[in-house]
Amino acid sequence: MHRPTFKTIVTSHRVASSSGTLPARVINPAGLSGLPPLVVLHGISRNADELVDLFAPVAEKRGRIVVVPHFSEPDWPHFQRPCRAARPDQALLAMLSHLAMIDNAFAGPVDLFGHSGGAQLAHRFAMLYPHRVGQLNLAAAGWYCLPDTSMAYPYGLGIDAEPTSLPWARRHQQALSAYLRLSVRVFIGLEDSLRDDALRKTPQLDRVQGLTRIARAQTYVAHFRKAAQALGITPDISLTHLPGVGHDVAQAIRDAGLATKVAWGVNTSGTWPSLAVAS
């Protein structure tokens, strides 16, 4: 008896919200594992198409639906952080609501992965909407909003003399306990030590979070653990160094298996299964 051969299908979606229109491509593998969908957020290179190509083989092998939004520069000149001028968080919520009407897999929490500017958006989205996030995967963020009220927003959750910081700091504080209960995986290339033009540099940021993305990743993990423990929460966060990798998500995926690590998840010992990474 002849059986039909099913293949991975990539569909395109475009969703309007009060904050702007957001397109996305969805990788739908032939066989599904039952794991929650994975949302992949690009950095300032806005290489959404490349990420679709890089994640498609892993999505097929793992049986995971993968969503890759595209925050284009004309429509979203600033997408890394929700603020008065830009609400990428609302656009992402609208996309997830749209996909939930098509596929019930999106009705619950989704896993998030972001690289660089995408990692900035990912962790800030998770701080605002922890109930919509399963596992949070952050790679090479330039800087972080630390769960620490001793530092003024946006570097921390404290409130300074700037009136506009008050509502944003309070929004993040309201969901802090749920955010600190998330499973968080932080990745950083061991060669990602350049203070390039894309890296945000201020005296306060350099002093508190460190001079490089490596130092800032370590600072974020340490502050996350401290904040969780202060609330009596056992933190579920890890930091993975990627040997030979700079600030290049394609290199991290091809040479260090980053897409595989994210798509498969991590067990409690912090190790991943040995898997071939598609080239």
Side-chain angles (χ1 to χ4, degrees):
M1 178 180 176
H2 173 72
R3 295 183 182 274
T5 300
F6 297 98
K7 296 182 179 180
T8 294
I9 298 173
V10 179
T11 58
S12 297
H13 302 260
R14 189 175 182 87
V15 177
S17 72
S18 59
S19 300
T21 299
L22 180 64
R25 297 173 71 191
V26 180
I27 305 170
N28 300 277
L32 295 177
S33 62
L35 290 169
L38 171 66
V39 177
V40 172
L41 300 176
H42 60 70
I44 60 172
S45 65
R46 305 175 194 269
N47 59 335
D49 289 344
E50 182 180 28
L51 288 171
V52 170
D53 292 339
L54 291 169
F55 270 86
V58 180
E60 174 65 28
K61 186 175 291 186
R62 186 54 170 146
R64 294 199 76 171
I65 300 171
V66 176
V67 183
V68 186
H70 181 211
F71 292 93
S72 68
E73 189 166 9
D75 293 331
W76 297 94
H78 306 288
F79 71 94
Q80 301 96 316
R81 174 165 64 94
C83 60
R84 286 190 303 169
R87 293 298 305 270
D89 57 315
Q90 291 183 344
L92 189 54
L93 282 175
M95 176 60 70
L96 294 176
S97 296
H98 163 77
L99 294 173
M101 291 188 293
I102 301 170
D103 188 337
N104 193 54
F106 288 91
V110 299
D111 288 357
L112 272 183
F113 165 76
H115 176 264
S116 191
Q120 293 184 42
L121 174 57
H123 85 276
R124 292 174 176 121
F125 181 90
M127 293 182 90
L128 290 170
Y129 315 102
H131 63 287
R132 296 296 284 120
V133 179
Q135 186 171 91
L136 178 62
N137 302 275
L138 309 173
W143 61 289
Y144 301 83
C145 179
L146 301 177
D148 188 332
T149 56
S150 69
M151 290 172 281
Y153 184 84
Y155 299 126
L157 298 183
I159 299 169
D160 60 13
E162 174 56 49
T164 58
S165 72
L166 177 60
W168 285 106
R170 284 183 173 171
R171 288 180 190 178
H172 289 73
Q173 290 173 11
Q174 288 170 356
L176 182 60
S177 178
Y179 170 65
L180 294 171
R181 287 181 167 83
L182 292 178
S183 175
V184 184
R185 304 292 171 254
V186 181
F187 303 90
I188 187 68
L190 284 177
E191 304 301 320
D192 196 355
S193 58
L194 297 178
R195 285 173 61 80
D196 51 60
D197 292 342
L199 184 69
R200 183 166 183 165
K201 312 174 192 73
T202 68
Q204 181 185 12
L205 186 57
D206 289 347
R207 183 179 67 256
V208 173
Q209 297 196 22
L211 298 178
T212 68
R213 293 182 182 89
I214 297 173
R216 292 176 184 183
Q218 294 168 338
T219 298
Y220 169 72
V221 171
H223 278 258
F224 189 101
R225 287 175 175 157
K226 182 179 179 181
Q229 291 166 349
L231 294 179
I233 300 168
T234 301
D236 181 7
I237 187 169
S238 65
L239 175 61
T240 299
H241 294 98
L242 306 175
V245 172
H247 195 63
D248 185 334
V249 67
Q251 180 192 35
I253 290 172
R254 293 190 177 109
D255 297 348
L258 179 57
T260 298
K261 290 175 169 59
V262 170
W264 254 262
V266 64
N267 62 30
T268 54
S269 65
T271 60
W272 289 269
S274 178
L275 298 164
V277 179
S279 60

